[in-house]
Amino acid sequence: MVRLHRTGDVEGARRGYQRVLEIRRRRLGKHPDTALSLLLLGLVRLKTEQVDAAQRELSEAMKIHLSLSKDLLPTLSEAEAFASVSSALSM
């Protein structure tokens, strides 16, 4: 799909990212890979000026990362916790 995106087949990339997202949502739920699919789909939608859809997908990706980071915080050292939250916020 990245190849489709790079070669200019944005619609083909969007369909592929959408399909992978549906599979990951069904099989993985809230997972970093699901968030990655949301991020990639959101970027494709931005490229095609579908701003509202892109915003929803990018926001959901951020929420997943923040949620997963918060779940990890009690088990991580302070430095690891800071890096985890910082990484999620930089998306």
Side-chain angles (χ1 to χ4, degrees), residues 10-69:
V10 177
E11 182 56 27
R14 187 206 55 77
R15 285 191 308 269
Y17 290 141
Q18 183 70 50
R19 183 166 184 220
V20 169
L21 173 61
E22 290 166 5
I23 292 167
R24 286 180 171 171
R25 275 187 169 148
R26 190 171 53 250
R27 293 191 178 179
L28 302 174
K30 289 185 178 181
H31 186 275
D33 290 344
T34 305
L36 176 60
S37 292
L38 284 159
L39 173 67
L40 293 171
L41 183 57
L43 293 175
V44 168
R45 290 202 194 269
L46 279 177
K47 193 167 194 164
T48 59
E49 299 181 9
Q50 298 174 10
V51 177
D52 290 340
Q55 184 177 12
R56 283 190 304 272
E57 287 149 355
L58 295 172
S59 177
E60 186 179 348
M62 176 64 77
K63 287 176 186 175
I64 289 172
H65 275 290
L66 288 174
S67 171
L68 295 173
S69 293

